[in-house]
Amino acid sequence: MPTSQNATPWFKSAVVYQIYPKSFCDFDGDGLGDLKGIESKIEHLVALGVGAVWFSPFYPSPQKDNGYDISNYVDIDPRFGTLEDFDRLVSRLHSAGIRVIVDVVFNHSSDQHPWFQSALADRDSEYRDYYIWRDGRILEGQIVESEPNNWTAFFGGPSWSKAGDGGQYYLHTFTPEQPDLNWENPAVRAEIAQVMEFWIARGVDGFRMDVINLVSKAPGLPDGAVPGLNPDTIGIEHYGFGPRLLEFLTELRTTVIEPHNAQGRELALIGETPGLSPELARHLVADEGGPLDMIFHFEHVGIDQGQGGKFDTQPFDLRALKAVLATWNEAYGDDAWSSHYFDNHDQPRAVSRWGDGSPEAAKALAAMLILQRGTPFVYQGDEIGMVNAGFTSIDQYDDIESINRYAERIAAGQPREEILAALGLMGRDNARVPVRWAPGAGYGFTSGTPWIDFGQMPPGINASDQAGDPESVLSFYRELIALRREHSVFVDGSATFLALDDAAIFALERSINDDSLAALVLVNFSGGPAVVPAEVSARWPLFGAGAGEASGRVNRHVLGAGGVATAGTAGVAGSWRGAGNEPESSVMDPYEVVVVLRERS
């Protein structure tokens, strides 16, 4: 198992790479990614420079929600391999210096889990109280029974379904096939602890806990406010940060994680927490008393969504993104740790969503992500610039969220073309199409028929063609991750966002040791030339009239087409972007990235 070489915890120094097993690499040719396929790509991960991988669920599952409906928490779905395959994969990753984080879904199980099946079969079963059951109600003026409350599910419809016997309703904050577990029952929490111990014994280094902030429900399960902030989350104020959430997570930390860490394991606990504000999130991740090491929030991936939810798309505005990132950075301060992502299995490709789909936009997003303060999470395919799938028919979609939304909007009379355009931009399957490893049939992913359409992408988007190209997105990612690894300011330094009102330039200052070591990250995230803001020039006299006045050693990393160029000087004389561009030139090219390192003597 890899061990930390300094006082910085491994999960802070690592760049984490998320693997969605179903779409990563298919070893046996059945069209579905598998554990042996992941093992075959370890060299790719090593060359990329990542320090950890996070596996999305690989457990037995009916796949109603692509594996986030688990029917057995302590086994491998045969479609992905065996426990022996998993053990070998973990061992090989550890030998390569890469840690392993597994995804666990403890807010709900599959309705096919033996616990729920027993609860359905016998109302007196010990497993009945593993879930949340309520009688229906007759509302004033009605004669037909209604659900126990008005909560709505994340994927549409009410959060309640009647059991097969026609009796009580059970709660499901997602699909009816994903009944919520009852964390008020100590036996449930004990089962969860045993699941974690099972995987810790097999060598995992951390857990990413899906929608973990939803597990504590308000007593009485009261009705939600109507209309809610989002029509798919009416009632979330009663379970988004429930009264016992901190207690439950602290119990997991103290009973499962800390005993192993006391013996040198360095386990990490990460929570996905939709809907949390920075102030609430701090309670979960503060260095003193926070039960989690970091959380995933969702505020930044909602900046292009209107009041109608994620498919009510709005134009991207860089200022909105910077405002969210700066707010969270300020709220966390120096005593809480952030995680950062733009893409994952639930989000469309940011390069298509926020950028123009070009390799240059992919590189710009990489710099904005990886050089922030916090742990960057890179999603599979980001490193080769994969774009949205370009689906043109609902028949190409597999995701239940997209299929349900399409049916709802068709029934409501919305034009088919409008619905498909929204799904094409925001649907989750955009991130779930197979990774393209090589050109040609099957794209190096499979020798068979893929479980989902590959979609339409430019021919250069594949790992094989990019591996030896110094100007490729893949080469850029390798250089960028190496830059973060080699300079402590990008891990341990504080962060200050500059020029928040500039619509084109992303400007971030990192500093450490009373500014003795500092870095400036500049990205022109626009399709046209942009001027370096005056606020930046005033703090970093490398541009404009003040150029040449700085003292100390300056390294200028110019990232973009052509890879990374580095120059070290005693001042700032010479070009900062390449031949012909003197320091006083303060105009940045479209999607250009510049990183400046300064060490004061």
Side-chain angles (χ1 to χ4, degrees), residues 209 211-213 271-276 281 284 292 295-298:
M209 299 188 293
V211 294
I212 197 63
N213 62 306
E272 183 196 34
T273 57
L276 284 198
L284 298 178
L292 304 181
I295 61 101
F296 293 118
H297 73 83
F298 283 62

Side-chain angles (χ1 to χ4, degrees), residues 181-239:
L181 289 164
N182 178 18
W183 277 60
E184 296 291 332
N185 183 350
V188 169
R189 305 200 301 277
E191 295 270 17
I192 288 168
Q194 289 179 26
V195 169
M196 296 174 76
E197 293 286 4
F198 176 88
W199 293 107
I200 291 169
R202 303 198 92 91
V204 307
D205 302 292
F207 298 91
R208 181 265 190 189
M209 299 188 293
D210 190 64
V211 294
I212 197 63
N213 62 306
L214 308 185
V215 299
S216 173
K217 276 70 172 179
L221 308 182
D223 277 344
V226 179
L229 294 177
N230 185 319
D232 292 339
T233 55
I234 292 174
I236 195 171
E237 67 271 24
H238 299 304
Y239 62 86

Side-chain angles (χ1 to χ4, degrees), residues 77-404:
D77 192 310
R79 288 170 286 192
F80 298 138
T82 66
L83 283 169
E84 290 72 22
D85 293 335
F86 178 82
D87 292 342
R88 186 178 60 253
L89 176 58
V90 171
S91 177
R92 287 203 57 199
L93 286 166
H94 282 170
S95 295
I98 298 173
R99 296 199 182 238
V100 175
I101 300 166
V102 295
D103 217 328
V104 286
V105 187
F106 293 145
N107 177 69
H108 49 265
S109 74
S110 165
D111 65 346
Q112 298 305 302
H113 196 288
W115 299 339
F116 192 73
Q117 288 298 302
S118 177
L120 279 178
D122 182 1
R123 290 185 64 160
D124 295 323
S125 165
E126 64 178 302
Y127 297 108
R128 185 78 174 187
D129 197 36
Y130 275 39
Y131 299 90
I132 299 170
W133 302 86
R134 292 293 185 274
D135 294 325
R137 60 179 179 174
I138 304 295
L139 297 174
E140 184 177 352
Q142 293 185 351
I143 59 173
V144 178
E145 184 182 76
S146 295
E147 291 83 6
N149 66 25
N150 70 342
W151 296 2
T152 54
F154 276 81
F155 297 157
S159 288
W160 298 91
S161 290
K162 246 184 181 178
D165 61 4
Q168 289 185 303
Y169 292 81
Y170 63 90
L171 178 67
H172 53 85
T173 46
F174 289 86
T175 71
E177 294 84 8
Q178 295 167 291
D180 280 30
L181 289 164
N182 178 18
W183 277 60
E184 296 291 332
N185 183 350
V188 169
R189 305 200 301 277
E191 295 270 17
I192 288 168
Q194 289 179 26
V195 169
M196 296 174 76
E197 293 286 4
F198 176 88
W199 293 107
I200 291 169
R202 303 198 92 91
V204 307
D205 302 292
F207 298 91
R208 181 265 190 189
M209 299 188 293
D210 190 64
V211 294
I212 197 63
N213 62 306
L214 308 185
V215 299
S216 173
K217 276 70 172 179
L221 308 182
D223 277 344
V226 179
L229 294 177
N230 185 319
D232 292 339
T233 55
I234 292 174
I236 195 171
E237 67 271 24
H238 299 304
Y239 62 86
F241 195 103
R244 300 187 67 188
L245 178 63
L246 276 173
E247 174 192 346
F248 291 154
L249 295 183
T250 300
E251 178 180 281
L252 273 187
R253 182 92 197 181
T254 56
T255 60
V256 178
I257 302 299
E258 292 304 335
H260 291 283
N261 285 355
Q263 300 298 316
R265 279 296 297 269
E266 294 188 287
L267 299 174
L269 203 54
I270 306 162
E272 183 196 34
T273 57
L276 284 198
S277 67
E279 293 74 25
L280 288 176
R282 269 191 59 85
H283 291 293
L284 298 178
V285 296
D287 289 344
E288 294 297 327
L292 304 181
D293 293 300
M294 50 187 155
I295 61 101
F296 293 118
H297 73 83
F298 283 62
E299 188 174 354
H300 67 303
V301 292
I303 58 170
D304 53 356
Q305 300 171 18
Q307 291 298 311
K310 69 179 287 184
F311 296 107
D312 177 16
T313 58
Q314 306 296 312
F316 172 74
D317 187 336
L318 178 65
R319 292 166 295 189
L321 176 63
K322 293 190 293 184
V324 171
L325 298 178
T327 296
W328 281 79
N329 179 66
E330 183 177 354
Y332 272 26
D334 294 329
D335 62 344
W337 191 250
S338 300
S339 67
H340 297 292
Y341 70 94
F342 291 152
D343 292 355
N344 62 30
H345 64 286
D346 280 335
Q347 301 295 329
R349 297 286 181 180
V351 68
S352 298
R353 175 184 182 180
W354 295 341
D356 64 2
S358 67
E360 291 73 26
K363 296 174 185 179
L365 282 165
M368 291 161 57
L369 173 72
I370 291 173
L371 299 182
Q372 289 186 65
R373 181 182 183 272
T375 299
F377 284 74
V378 173
Y379 183 64
Q380 63 182 41
D382 282 353
E383 77 276 20
I384 57 172
M386 286 185 67
V387 297
N388 276 355
F391 289 167
T392 57
S393 167
I394 191 61
D395 295 332
Q396 293 175 285
Y397 285 89
D398 178 84
D399 177 38
I400 190 168
E401 179 186 50
S402 294
I403 293 169
N404 286 355

Side-chain angles (χ1 to χ4, degrees), residues 22-23 26 28-34 434 445-452:
K22 200 172 181 179
S23 298
D26 170 24
D28 62 11
D30 66 354
L32 198 72
D34 46 45
F445 166 74
T446 185
S447 59
T449 302
W451 70 274
I452 191 172

Side-chain angles (χ1 to χ4, degrees), residues 4 40 46 61 71-72 86 88 90 100-101 123 232 236 239 264 376 383 409 414 425 437 442 461 482 497 513 549:
S4 296
S40 74
V46 171
S61 166
S71 57
N72 185 346
F86 178 82
R88 186 178 60 253
V90 171
V100 175
I101 300 166
R123 290 185 64 160
D232 292 339
I236 195 171
Y239 62 86
E383 77 276 20
R409 299 316 303 161
Q414 186 175 356
L425 183 63
W437 295 104
I461 297 181
F497 287 85
N513 297 333
E549 296 176 1

